[in-house]
């Protein structure tokens, strides 16, 4: 009499486990779909932001003066996921940054970095693999846009997405 009860309990537990497993898989699939939709929206919004900044920098001529850093800081609004906003010249030299650049006697250059070379060579918006950013020294997801005027390459605009929350405090403190 005990064996049928054990078998029945085993089948019941097995059925419960199977339905819980299917529920967990369904929840994970839903979460993955929401993450992908959020990522796609982030990429789209970043491309629009960098294209707008390209136009603003071209029209205003900001890179020619010191207000470029202030422009970058003002574009880095609270709640945005970006660790920084950066503009380079056509040679890869950083000409302005929302975050303060590390102290150095030499100008900072991105000339050899993929987030400069790839948009320069492809002449289009790109999302690159995770890397450590040289300015804030945090893991970032680089998104970059070529800054052009007609066929003339003028530089790259970079909006690295920060993968932690600490970058906001550093950039906010820098703008004070």
């Amino acid at each position: 009499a005990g064996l049928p009860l054990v078998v029945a309990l085993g089948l019941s537990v097995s059925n419960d486990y199977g339905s819980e497993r299917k529920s967990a898989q369904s929840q994970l699939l839903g979460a993955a779909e929401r993450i992908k939709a959020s990522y796609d929206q982030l990429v789209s919004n970043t491309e629009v932001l960098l294209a707008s900044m390209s136009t603003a920098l071209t029209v205003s001529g900001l890179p020619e003066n010191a207000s470029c850093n202030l422009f970058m800081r003002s574009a880095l609004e609270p709640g945005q996921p970006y660790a920084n906003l950066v503009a380079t010249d056509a040679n890869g030299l950083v000409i302005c940054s929302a975050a303060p650049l590390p102290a150095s006697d030499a100008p900072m250059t991105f000339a050899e970095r993929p987030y400069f070379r790839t948009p320069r060579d492809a002449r289009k918006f790109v999302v690159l693999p995770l890397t450590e950013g040289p300015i804030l020294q945090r893991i970032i997801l680089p998104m970059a846009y070529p800054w052009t005027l007609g066929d003339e390459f003028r530089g790259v605009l970079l909006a690295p997405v920060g993968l932690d929350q600490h970058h906001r405090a550093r950039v906010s403190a820098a703008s004070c």
Side-chain angles (χ1 to χ4, degrees):
L3 185 60
L5 180 59
V6 170
V7 170
L9 283 173
L11 289 174
S12 174
V13 168
S14 176
N15 286 339
D16 287 346
Y17 175 74
S19 69
E20 287 178 12
R21 182 175 167 188
K22 285 181 182 179
S23 175
Q25 285 174 336
S26 176
Q27 289 175 356
L28 283 172
L29 182 58
E33 289 170 351
R34 288 188 300 278
I35 290 168
K36 183 186 180 320
S38 178
Y39 171 80
D40 290 345
Q41 187 65 49
L42 173 63
V43 169
S44 177
N45 290 348
T46 302
E47 184 173 12
V48 169
L49 170 69
L50 293 178
S52 299
M53 290 178 67
S54 173
T55 301
L57 289 173
T58 299
V59 170
S60 67
L62 282 174
E64 318 315 333
N65 62 50
S67 61
C68 188
N69 289 338
L70 183 58
F71 170 73
M72 291 296 192
R73 285 186 193 115
S74 68
L76 191 61
E77 297 174 3
Q80 288 182 332
Y82 310 113
N84 196 3
L85 293 173
V86 179
T88 74
D89 68 11
N91 297 314
L93 292 175
V94 174
I95 54 175
C96 59
S97 169
L101 298 176
S104 174
D105 292 336
M108 179 171 274
T109 181
F110 289 172
E112 297 303 317
R113 296 187 181 263
Y115 44 81
F116 173 79
R117 291 189 325 251
T118 305
R120 177 198 63 197
D121 297 345
R123 293 291 204 273
K124 67 179 187 174
F125 173 77
V126 296
V127 179
L128 294 140
L130 295 174
T131 188
E132 183 174 328
I135 296 175
L136 295 177
Q137 297 176 342
R138 302 257 189 250
I139 299 299
I140 58 167
L141 177 66
M143 297 190 195
Y145 189 88
W147 175 26
T148 60
L149 179 60
D151 289 339
E152 176 192 357
F153 177 73
R154 304 195 69 191
V156 166
L157 298 171
L158 177 68
V161 174
L163 300 184
D164 63 77
Q165 298 300 316
H166 303 291
H167 66 273
R168 285 195 186 88
R170 289 181 71 176
V171 172
S172 295
S175 63
C176 294

